[in-house]
Amino acid sequence: MATAAQRLEEIRSTLPAGVDIVAVSKFQTLDAILDAYRGGQRKFGESRVGELLEKEEILPKDIEWHFIGHVQTNKLRRLIGHASIIESVDSERLLELIDRESLRAGVTTRVLLQVHVAREETKFGFSPEELREYFQGRRFEHLKATHICGLMAMATNTDDTEEIEREFKEVASLRDEILEMCPDLRGFDVLSMGMSDDYTIATSCGSNSVRIGSAIFGNRPTPSK
Ligand SMILES: *Cc1c(COP(=O)(O)O)cnc(C)c1O
């Protein structure tokens, strides 16, 4: 059976130049993560605050931890300063809290704004319209300790590849619109789209950061409570 490092190598070789891989290591063992690490992988994605902190403490310090799960506000303070980027900022309220907590901790937090384009209502995120209003109104201007680095999105979980493509394209054109509205935005250049089943569609639509879990590590063990 292929190891995580071998699967990563295979995936890397198929991706267009300039596309980053975030290896989604949620619920995976330290050994599996270390295998990928030894293969050169440095960006890993976690969806729970406690799990990220535990792994961060034990694993090599040059790993960049991407937080990709829904942030519960009561756990936010523990996350600040430990995630290299929070990809899953899904409301303006959370953004304000991140700014306040980052200021308090004396750090700058990098974030992506999560856009909801999937048909499923279970997914989190800003609607495209909310984001247009947010940037049109330049409401990011008062943020002091938060750097918005781009957008993150998940497509509908479906076999309908045209639907997936339509959703990813919507996010890519929203990014273009935002940059047109706010040409002075600095470092707004990450488009995080694509998971194990749809990353090739995502990169063809302009994604430059894919979040891949099971295609690297195999099926996830069931999380313990
Ligand atoms: C779990 C997860 C992934 C990875 O999913 P796979 O299908 O295992 O690649 C990507 N993004 C987010 C936000 C996730 O929660």
Side-chain angles (χ1 to χ4, degrees):
M1 238 183 58
T3 65
Q6 287 165 340
R7 293 201 192 96
L8 253 168
E9 193 50 46
E10 254 182 65
I11 293 168
R12 236 181 245 134
S13 71
T14 67
L15 289 176
V19 177
D20 265 340
I21 301 180
V22 175
V24 176
S25 52
K26 60 187 184 196
F27 317 143
Q28 302 292 349
T29 64
L30 299 175
D31 279 345
I33 299 173
L34 276 173
D35 179 40
Y37 178 88
R38 290 191 198 101
Q41 183 65 26
R42 291 295 179 270
K43 296 178 179 180
F44 291 88
E46 289 288 335
S47 60
R48 293 178 175 192
V49 174
E51 190 175 342
L52 184 151
L53 295 176
E54 279 169 29
K55 288 174 172 171
E56 184 211 25
E57 196 174 327
I58 299 168
L59 289 166
K61 297 302 171 215
D62 61 343
I63 288 180
E64 291 173 34
W65 295 100
H66 287 226
F67 193 79
I68 61 169
H70 179 61
V71 182
Q72 293 168 275
T73 52
N74 62 341
K75 295 189 179 155
L76 175 63
R77 191 170 283 187
R78 293 166 59 208
L79 184 62
I80 295 294
H82 296 273
S84 116
I85 187 164
I86 302 176
E87 294 205 10
S88 40
V89 175
D90 53 15
S91 69
E92 192 169 350
R93 177 169 169 268
L94 177 59
L95 195 52
E96 297 298 322
L97 278 173
I98 288 172
D99 199 50
R100 196 200 302 161
E101 290 299 331
S102 303
L103 206 55
R104 183 183 158 275
V107 298
T108 297
T109 301
R110 299 166 65 236
V111 302
L112 301 181
L113 303 185
Q114 183 173 352
V115 197
H116 183 143
V117 285
R119 287 186 306 221
E120 296 126 325
E121 287 181 7
T122 50
K123 292 195 170 135
F124 292 102
F126 290 83
S127 70
E129 202 39 48
E130 280 174 324
L131 274 191
R132 275 186 203 99
E133 283 170 17
Y134 182 79
F135 284 98
Q136 187 86 65
R138 300 184 64 86
R139 301 215 290 266
F140 54 86
E141 279 187 329
H142 69 278
L143 296 174
K144 294 190 180 67
T146 312
H147 179 192
I148 302 175
C149 301
L151 303 178
M152 184 274 246
M154 275 188 274
T156 304
N157 184 8
T158 172
D159 292 333
D160 181 350
T161 54
E162 280 173 22
E163 170 69 22
I164 295 171
E165 189 175 342
R166 196 190 57 71
E167 292 170 0
F168 284 152
K169 281 188 171 155
E170 185 180 354
V171 181
S173 73
L174 182 61
R175 187 264 326 263
D176 295 344
E177 252 183 83
I178 290 170
L179 280 172
E180 249 169 61
M181 279 192 277
C182 308
D184 55 329
L185 264 187
R186 290 270 169 269
F188 185 81
D189 44 29
V190 180
L191 202 49
S192 171
M193 309 191 295
M195 323 202 320
S196 292
D197 289 338
D198 57 16
Y199 69 86
T200 47
I201 306 175
T203 55
S204 78
C205 297
S207 167
N208 58 13
S209 186
V210 292
R211 307 175 312 273
I212 302 182
S214 44
I216 296 170
F217 295 108
N219 286 335
R220 271 182 287 281
T222 325
S224 49
K225 286 279 175 276

